Amino acid sequence: MAYEIVCGLEIHAELSTATKIWCGCANEFGGEPNTRCCPVCTGLPGALPVLNRRVVAFAVKAGLAMHCTIAPRSVMARKNYFYPDMPKAYQISQYEAPLCLGGHVDIETSAGPRRIRLTRIHIEEDAGKLLHDAYGTGTLVDLNRCGVPLIEIVSEPDLRGAEEAKAYMEAVREILEACAVSDVKMQEGSMRADVNVSIRPVGATEYGTRTEMKNLNSFRAVHRAVEAEAKRQEALLAAGKKVAQETRQWDDNRGESRGMRGKEDAQDYRYFPDPDLVPILVSESDVARIRAELPELPAERRARYIGTLGIAEADAALLTRSRAEAELFEAVLAQGVGVRAAVTWVVVELFARLNAAGRSVADLPFGGAALGRLAALVEAGKVNAGSARRILGSMMEQGGEPAALAESMGLLVVADEGGIAAAVAAALAGSPAAVADYRSGSAKSFGFLMGQAMKAAGGRADPKLLQAALREALDGPAEGKA
Amino acid sequence: MSAYAAGIATLDALGLAAALRRREVSSPEATRAYLDRIDSYDGTIGAYLHVRADDALRDAEAAQRTLDAAAKDGSTPPPFCGVPVALKDNLCTKGTPTTCASRLLAGYVPPYDATAVERIAASGAVVLGKLNMDEFAMGSSNENSAVKPVRNPWDAARVPGGSSGGSAAAVAAGLAAFALGSDTGGSIRLPAAFCGVVGLKPTYGSVSRYGLVAFASSLDQIGPLARSVADAEAVFGLLAGRDPHDATTVDRPATAAAPRIVKGLRVGLPREFLTDAVQPEVRDAVRRAADWLAAEGAEVAECGLPAVEHWIPAYYVVSSAEASSNLARFDGVRYGNRAVGYESIAGMYMKTRSEGFGAEVKRRILLGTFVLSAGYHDAYYGSAQKARAHIRNGFDRVFADHDLLLGPVAPQTAFRLGEKTGDPIQMYLQDICTVGASLAGIPALSVPAGFDAQGLPIGLQLTGPAFAENTLFAAAGCIERAAGCRGRFPDLGAAASAAGAGR
Ligand SMILES: [Zn+2]
């Protein structure tokens, strides 16, 4: 039987506010264990949370970017459970009245565009970290991450397989990055996902029994986990067994999951509104103000690149993969470079080199404006394309200003009569056979001689001037013809 | 000790503050006098869990320097400069143990001061120590302290009321000029009534809870226990006001500041609290106080109070639900006492909490966990929230044509130690008159209004709409003057012998 995969994601993203959600502690990654905390974020007896309003603004911004309805009144609730990384023994989250409702994220799949519906986005606090056997035996607790603000983005079960799950998570990451509300650093755990997976016969309308895998922290892990879980479920059904509703632990090293907790052991979190906090009120004018601050989102930017700038779809997709890449491209354009040249310099020249070197635009020692000035030198005929590639190679290692590099590297175009004439003379003197061939009618030989002349000029001659001078030397003055 | 110092414990805090400013007595003298009394009598009373003897004397000397400097340059020192006071042991004090009278927190020293503690310190008061209470403020008799019970200064065979029993007993016995307590369902008012002192539970949101170890967050309020209405008003003035560390605090409306007079006040006597279930002498005291208020021009009449039957069940569901969550943090991981000899993390939690909490705390945690559980949540917690809204509406309707309500604080005066410990329901019914104001978030004050035939204090409760504390102070002042209780003090020598006989 052919099965269809049904999958929903709960994505947790840390918000990059300057301070934590309930206290004035710095919201920064890492630090010596238990140094970035205070009585409030470590839940000492008597300490009380006070909501950081920036967290609400950031979450509303993310919600608007994902087309959610913003609730004028939402409520923080306590999710009660015992675990040493949660020193209050409850997580302050939202339950019955979340901040953002509905919404959607559009994704591109190999089968074309798809719209993934959201259930909600809510605010909550992150927990600390447990360090197992990090210092001798036993488990130690680091509470630095306690009180780091999170949003949880809950999708409907609209994703049909591993590719879509991965594309959706990438799209969410792009949006959060564009809005500048999260660092979206998967490797630091600032974005992670819980994945629900079930399968059903193709054409069925009822959902199958789903399992959940928690805390997947890379696109690859999401893709692999969905694929492996669907296969596991399919094998169970093929063997006439049933899928058990359970939480499973995904082991990305081994590429497999194992059962952690069945439905009967499901925790009862005993949610209730947190009496230490007052309801969150967001006015229509707050929403309007935040909406006005929304940046151009990746999908909108891509559409503009294709529609207005006439960039090919594939290039537009590459240029809008991240905010940093799109901003670099636009900085190149801002130097007055033509769209086609800018695309070539960024996609063909720069991205290819970065790819080959395993680097990203974030590591570059120069900005888009410098690359734009380099492209402009080429467009103005001051540097040849080949020289410009050498200059770019140097910039990628040490940065620097293109014009100065062209000068110091001796790569400025030679356009003076003496220099051009010397190059032509050297080419003619060095290749008498080619000259004879040309004069006996071999047009091909002109190309060879042009190459020799450019070589003699060290590759720096203005190609138009050089061509004219060579033709004149071979054919006599242009005026004489006709 | 000067001749003056011997009488210090009979002054109210404002009186002592004035004497200190007039330099009739020094703060170290006053502090030493209080410490001596604690030495002499607290073995019987059991009000203190921790006495800051040396620290208090050092603070007193610093206060005296402030008083001396003020006298020299003619400036005004802080209002309670040099006055020895004490704090309930659920208020966090930086560097001083804060144990909530629980084994689980024995020896716990907070790294920060509660906002209320900071404000008391800013008033110049000298903190003598931390006061006994029912464990985590759960109880009505102070018999739930894991350390020791508190005895009533008027009769040491009797309870002081709870949960702020140490605070009330210390003020009544002259072991502190005033004390801070906390009130969740009557925990300031009941002990104030049993011990014959003034106790105020402020409007919810008036006083910051930051640094108060939470029992039930939507009900807890810190308030004063004092020897006079004027003291209670002055201490409340210090404590009240918005705190950026407590999101539930509010700025008091400007109308709350207006001085009130008794003339013209519309006073209701809820019939529900004048039934045969109330000790006759307590009922008589209510009627007598009604006459005193009427004599000063108040319009007094009996009235009905809707939804009273919902008070106790709604209170025990809401308070226990919140407590089950608030007390979950006492897991032995970071602070407090962790049990030894466990095999797993679940085992560590269970052993630590089983050994650390007393029976009443466990009862409330279990009750609260149950009422929030899947399948029961709506029937219990959900219904209690609805009942709470209904109770608020009931008060709103009554206060549409009343300025305040007058009634008993408890159905009877102080009972004997051990008398109700066997029956939690009987103990819970001690709160029958007080939990309504807690659920509605409105202010209520307990004021001494005489004594019963056994010489036990009778306290009356004044309840007003939100932010009407000034109305309560005006009416309480009238009752205080007419009752004349301020001139009567417990005989601590007799208390000691009674305690001996009771043992
Ligand atoms: Zn903090």
Side-chain angles (χ1 to χ4, degrees):
Chain A
M1 193 184 291
Y3 289 100
E4 173 182 59
I5 301 174
V6 175
C7 159
L9 258 62
E10 290 164 17
I11 296 177
H12 293 85
E14 289 179 355
L15 299 178
S16 50
T17 49
T19 56
K20 290 184 177 181
I21 186 167
W22 314 124
C23 61
C25 292
N27 175 19
E28 284 167 21
F29 177 75
E32 279 293 298
N34 300 310
T35 55
R36 297 192 199 284
C37 39
C38 71
V40 173
C41 56
T42 57
L44 287 190
L48 296 173
V50 177
L51 179 63
N52 176 354
R53 282 297 297 195
R54 295 290 295 161
V55 169
V56 178
F58 275 41
V60 167
K61 199 170 183 185
L64 290 174
M66 288 182 249
H67 312 281
C68 300
T69 303
I70 307 303
R73 181 182 186 278
S74 67
V75 175
M76 301 307 304
R78 292 188 186 177
K79 178 182 182 179
N80 296 284
Y81 64 93
F82 286 97
Y83 205 61
D85 67 1
M86 188 51 83
K88 299 188 302 302
Y90 57 82
Q91 179 190 30
I92 306 177
S93 180
Q94 294 193 296
Y95 186 56
E96 281 178 335
L99 180 64
C100 310
L101 294 157
H104 63 261
V105 171
D106 291 327
I107 61 170
E108 295 296 327
T109 73
S110 51
R114 290 251 295 123
R115 174 158 291 184
I116 308 305
R117 293 169 302 155
L118 301 185
T119 314
R120 59 192 277 168
I121 302 177
H122 67 249
I123 300 173
E124 60 187 29
E125 60 181 333
D126 211 343
K129 282 179 186 165
L130 298 188
L131 309 169
H132 299 288
D133 302 325
Y135 303 87
T137 54
T139 298
L140 296 175
V141 188
D142 176 8
L143 299 178
N144 282 353
R145 203 175 64 180
C146 285
V148 166
L150 289 178
I151 47 174
E152 179 173 332
I153 305 156
V154 183
S155 84
E156 291 286 302
D158 281 0
L159 299 159
R160 298 287 172 266
E163 186 209 353
E164 290 193 7
K166 178 168 172 274
Y168 165 74
M169 195 163 172
E170 285 170 341
V172 169
R173 182 180 189 274
E174 281 179 356
I175 293 170
L176 296 177
E177 200 211 11
C179 295
V181 296
S182 174
D183 290 339
V184 292
K185 286 181 184 154
M186 316 271 287
Q187 66 281 8
E188 290 181 4
S190 66
M191 186 174 159
R192 48 196 196 261
D194 301 343
V195 184
N196 292 302
V197 179
S198 65
I199 60 171
R200 63 182 175 189
V202 170
T205 50
E206 306 248 306
Y207 293 123
T209 305
R210 62 176 192 180
T211 60
E212 184 181 30
M213 289 170 290
K214 287 187 176 290
N215 277 326
L216 302 176
N217 58 4
S218 73
F219 299 129
R220 181 171 172 271
V222 167
H223 190 277
R224 278 163 33 106
V226 172
E227 208 154 55
E229 179 57 15
K231 278 215 183 80
R232 191 189 67 87
Q233 293 185 11
E234 216 174 309
L236 282 174
L237 297 185
K241 294 179 184 159
K242 279 191 171 159
V243 174
Q245 186 178 333
E246 61 181 351
T247 301
R248 300 183 64 82
Q249 172 89 44
W250 172 252
D251 183 336
D252 206 39
N253 294 322
R254 306 175 65 168
E256 60 182 36
S257 64
R258 59 184 165 79
M260 258 172 74
R261 196 166 60 223
K263 188 185 175 186
E264 60 281 3
D265 303 323
Q267 297 217 41
D268 180 357
Y269 291 119
R270 307 191 309 280
Y271 282 99
F272 72 100
D274 191 329
D276 287 332
L277 291 158
V278 293
I280 300 171
L281 304 180
V282 182
S283 69
E284 277 179 37
S285 66
D286 292 335
V287 173
R289 182 176 45 76
I290 296 168
R291 196 187 294 280
E293 286 169 7
L294 272 186
E296 186 179 40
L297 296 170
E300 296 163 5
R301 183 174 253 158
R302 204 165 302 144
R304 176 166 64 86
Y305 283 8
I306 296 165
T308 313
L309 300 182
I311 297 173
E313 266 179 48
D315 290 338
L318 285 172
L319 289 169
T320 55
R321 269 183 315 197
S322 74
R323 191 161 60 115
E325 285 162 317
E327 281 175 356
L328 179 131
F329 172 67
E330 295 191 11
V332 172
L333 282 181
Q335 295 300 313
V337 180
V339 172
R340 285 188 65 157
V343 170
T344 304
W345 277 106
V346 174
V347 176
V348 181
E349 297 297 340
L350 182 65
F351 286 180
R353 283 164 199 253
L354 287 173
N355 265 349
R359 292 167 63 183
S360 81
V361 291
D363 314 325
L364 286 174
F366 62 88
L371 181 60
R373 286 193 289 276
L374 178 62
L377 285 177
V378 177
E379 285 204 330
K382 292 188 176 143
V383 172
N384 290 337
S387 303
R389 284 189 204 101
R390 283 178 59 193
I391 293 171
L392 177 59
S394 169
M395 285 166 68
M396 286 191 63
E397 297 317 313
Q398 294 146 42
E401 184 53 42
L405 284 169
E407 179 98 52
S408 66
M409 293 167 76
L411 294 174
L412 278 175
V413 158
V414 174
D416 65 296
E417 256 176 60
I420 296 281
V424 169
L428 296 184
S431 307
V435 173
D437 287 350
Y438 176 79
R439 293 208 165 119
S440 62
S442 164
K444 225 171 73 186
S445 301
F446 183 81
F448 174 78
L449 288 166
M450 182 69 190
Q452 291 303 105
M454 188 56 95
K455 202 170 159 189
R460 300 181 293 134
D462 181 315
K464 283 191 190 117
L465 293 178
L466 187 68
Q467 191 179 27
L470 181 63
R471 234 177 247 294
E472 189 178 322
L474 291 169
D475 303 346
E479 291 89 344
K481 291 186 72 182
Chain B
M1 195 189 298
S2 71
Y4 195 93
I8 275 172
T10 62
L11 290 174
D12 72 353
L14 288 171
L16 177 56
L20 286 159
R21 279 198 299 276
R22 290 193 303 265
R23 307 166 70 72
E24 291 164 9
V25 62
S26 76
S27 179
E29 269 180 312
T31 302
R32 223 170 279 122
Y34 269 105
L35 290 171
D36 287 347
R37 289 183 64 86
I38 292 168
D39 248 6
S40 307
Y41 302 117
D42 201 47
T44 305
I45 304 297
Y48 279 84
L49 293 178
H50 180 85
V51 180
R52 296 173 77 240
D54 297 339
D55 291 340
L57 283 170
R58 200 196 57 225
D59 292 351
E61 276 156 21
Q64 191 57 44
R65 285 194 291 277
T66 305
L67 286 162
D68 291 346
K72 197 173 274 174
D73 65 18
S75 64
T76 310
F80 286 111
C81 196
V83 175
V85 306
L87 308 168
K88 189 176 180 179
D89 204 33
N90 57 355
L91 289 160
C92 285
T93 41
K94 185 175 181 175
T96 298
T98 301
T99 71
C100 298
S102 177
R103 279 189 296 275
L104 208 149
L105 278 182
Y108 173 66
V109 179
Y112 74 104
D113 275 328
T115 299
V117 172
E118 279 180 351
R119 291 187 179 180
I120 289 301
S123 80
V126 171
V127 175
L128 294 167
K130 303 298 289 289
L131 297 165
N132 205 349
M133 56 187 280
D134 282 301
E135 182 180 6
F136 285 108
M138 295 174 185
S140 303
S141 68
N142 219 116
E143 289 164 290
N144 296 333
S145 167
V147 183
K148 57 188 174 185
V150 179
R151 289 167 183 275
N152 193 312
W154 297 91
D155 177 351
R158 292 178 185 266
V159 303
S163 66
S164 308
S167 302
V171 174
L175 308 181
F178 70 77
L180 294 190
S182 69
D183 189 311
T184 306
S187 280
I188 288 175
R189 292 161 282 165
L190 185 69
F194 281 10
C195 293
V197 300
V198 180
L200 172 71
K201 182 207 87 78
T203 305
Y204 186 81
S206 293
V207 178
S208 170
R209 295 178 295 113
Y210 187 72
L212 169 68
V213 180
F215 162 12
S217 312
S218 74
L219 300 159
D220 295 342
Q221 275 291 288
I222 297 167
L225 292 102
R227 273 191 214 124
S228 67
V229 173
D231 275 4
E233 181 168 2
V235 177
F236 173 66
L238 298 175
L239 298 177
R242 215 182 71 81
D243 176 12
H245 294 297
D246 178 355
T248 63
T249 54
V250 291
D251 282 318
R252 297 178 63 72
T255 51
R260 304 293 173 111
I261 49 166
V262 172
K263 189 172 161 47
L265 285 183
R266 298 161 301 171
V267 180
L269 309 183
R271 275 177 221 104
E272 291 75 5
F273 297 132
L274 292 170
T275 66
D276 291 346
V278 177
Q279 184 182 332
E281 290 151 297
V282 174
R283 268 185 284 157
D284 291 347
V286 173
R287 299 207 182 280
R288 213 164 39 237
D291 290 344
W292 294 333
L293 291 170
E296 284 202 20
E299 303 164 21
V300 187
E302 286 193 14
C303 68
L305 190 48
V308 170
E309 67 280 13
H310 297 308
W311 287 9
I312 288 280
Y315 172 76
Y316 277 92
V317 170
V318 170
S319 64
S320 303
E322 293 181 13
S324 72
S325 176
N326 283 329
L327 271 64
R329 73 186 64 198
F330 302 107
D331 56 9
V333 174
R334 285 203 62 235
Y335 48 79
N337 297 310
R338 186 191 299 178
V340 291
Y342 49 85
E343 312 241 291
S344 66
I345 185 154
M348 181 186 90
Y349 290 148
M350 278 191 264
K351 201 148 187 269
T352 295
R353 291 167 66 81
S354 298
E355 291 175 7
F357 289 138
E360 183 60 28
V361 173
K362 286 177 191 163
R363 184 177 296 124
R364 309 246 188 151
I365 290 174
L366 290 173
L367 175 61
T369 304
F370 173 74
V371 301
L372 287 173
S373 298
Y376 302 98
H377 191 287
D378 291 349
Y380 290 99
Y381 183 75
S383 301
Q385 291 298 341
K386 284 190 197 116
R388 192 172 182 182
H390 186 55
I391 290 162
R392 277 203 193 97
N393 286 337
F395 274 111
D396 284 348
R397 289 207 299 281
V398 171
F399 286 123
D401 43 22
H402 292 88
D403 296 305
L404 61 88
L405 302 176
L406 170 67
V409 174
Q412 80 301 302
T413 53
F415 51 88
R416 290 177 185 283
L417 271 90
E419 192 179 321
K420 295 183 194 291
T421 43
D423 185 351
I425 301 293
Q426 276 307 306
M427 193 68 90
Y428 292 177
L429 288 175
Q430 286 303 302
D431 301 335
I432 195 158
C433 307
T434 51
V435 295
S438 299
L439 287 163
I442 55 179
L445 179 147
S446 174
V447 60
F451 293 84
D452 70 2
Q454 300 169 92
L456 298 170
I458 297 171
L460 298 185
Q461 178 172 235
L462 295 161
T463 308
F467 304 111
E469 278 85 352
N470 277 7
T471 312
L472 305 187
F473 293 136
C478 164
I479 294 169
E480 179 183 59
R481 284 189 298 278
C485 299
R486 290 262 342 265
R488 200 162 152 182
F489 300 95
D491 178 351
L492 296 181
S497 56
R503 266 173 207 148

